[in-house]
C-alpha cells in the first residue's frame, strides 16, 4: 500500500530497496551505485513491514509533463536515501515508487518520449537514472560528471 505523497509533506515508507507498483507488486533492487544497480526480473517477496523499519522521506521537487504525468522525488532522513515516484495524469497514487538507501537525494526529473530521466546527487557524486514506460520500468543508472 502506498502512503499519501504530495510534493510538500514528508511521508514514511518501509525500508526496502526496490520499485513498488500501484497494484501491490514489489521488485527488489540489487547491487550498488559503485557496481551496477538492477531490478529483479520478477515480482519479489517484500520483506515484512515489522522487519524493515520505516524510512522518513522528504519530497524535494515535482516535475510535470505536458501529458499530465507528475514525478515527485527527494531524499530521506538518513544520508544517501532517495526516492522517485511517477504519477499518471489524474491519479492520486503513484504508478510506481522507487526507494533506494544508496541513491542519494533525487533533485530533478525530465520526461522523455519513452520514459523518464532523473538525477540524484551528493557532491561530488551525480547519477542519471533512466526508466522506460514498461511496468515495472527497466532501470539504467550511470555516474555522470558533477
Amino acid at each position: 500500500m502506498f502512503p499519501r505523497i504530495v510534493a510538500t509533506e514528508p511521508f514514511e515508507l518501509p525500508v526496502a530497496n526496490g520499485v513498488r507498483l500501484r497494484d501491490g507488486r514489489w521488485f527488489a533492487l540489487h547491487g550498488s551505485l559503485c557496481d551496477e544497480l538492477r531490478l529483479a526480473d520478477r515480482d519479489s517477496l517484500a520483506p515484512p513491514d515489522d522487519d524493515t523499519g520505516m524510512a522518513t522521506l522528504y519530497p524535494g521537487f515535482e516535475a510535470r509533463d505536458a501529458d499530465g504525468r507528475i514525478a515527485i522525488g527527494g531524499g530521506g532522513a538518513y544520508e544517501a536515501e532517495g526516492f522517485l515516484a511517477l504519477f499518471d495524469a489524474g491519479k492520486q497514487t503513484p504508478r510506481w515508487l522507487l526507494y533506494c538507501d544508496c541513491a542519494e537525494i533525487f533533485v530533478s526529473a525530465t520526461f522523455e518520449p519513452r520514459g523518464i530521466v532523473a538525477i540524484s546527487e551528493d557532491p561530488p557524486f551525480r547519477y542519471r537514472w533512466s526508466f522506460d514506460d514498461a511496468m515495472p520500468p527497466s532501470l539504467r543508472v550511470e555516474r555522470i560528471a558533477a
Side-chain angles (χ1 to χ4, degrees):
M1 184 56 101
F2 282 117
R4 180 174 181 265
I5 302 172
V6 295
T8 58
E9 299 174 9
F11 64 95
E12 288 191 336
L13 188 70
V15 175
N17 289 330
V19 170
R20 289 171 170 75
L21 302 184
R22 182 183 299 140
D23 64 11
R25 291 181 293 157
W26 177 72
F27 293 80
L29 186 61
H30 301 286
S32 72
L33 286 174
C34 297
D35 187 24
E36 178 185 352
L37 284 172
R38 60 184 171 19
L39 285 175
D41 294 334
R42 299 174 7 169
D43 188 11
S44 308
L45 181 61
D49 288 346
D50 59 344
D51 289 346
T52 61
M54 298 296 280
T56 301
L57 302 173
Y58 300 92
F61 77 89
E62 179 179 299
R64 293 178 179 266
D65 191 32
D67 68 6
R69 291 181 297 166
I70 299 171
I72 296 176
Y78 293 99
E79 184 177 357
E81 286 181 314
F83 80 92
L84 183 69
L86 177 65
F87 294 79
D88 289 320
K91 298 289 184 181
Q92 299 259 331
T93 56
R95 177 192 299 187
W96 54 257
L97 186 149
L98 167 82
Y99 168 83
C100 182
D101 65 4
C102 67
E104 305 299 346
I105 186 172
F106 281 89
V107 296
S108 67
T110 55
F111 292 92
E112 299 196 343
R114 293 196 171 111
I116 184 171
V117 174
I119 303 295
S120 70
E121 66 181 13
D122 183 23
F125 304 109
R126 188 173 174 93
Y127 302 94
R128 177 182 296 126
W129 299 68
S130 300
F131 302 87
D132 65 13
D133 282 333
M135 288 296 282
S138 65
L139 168 67
R140 180 176 172 211
V141 182
E142 54 192 318
R143 190 169 171 180
I144 57 177

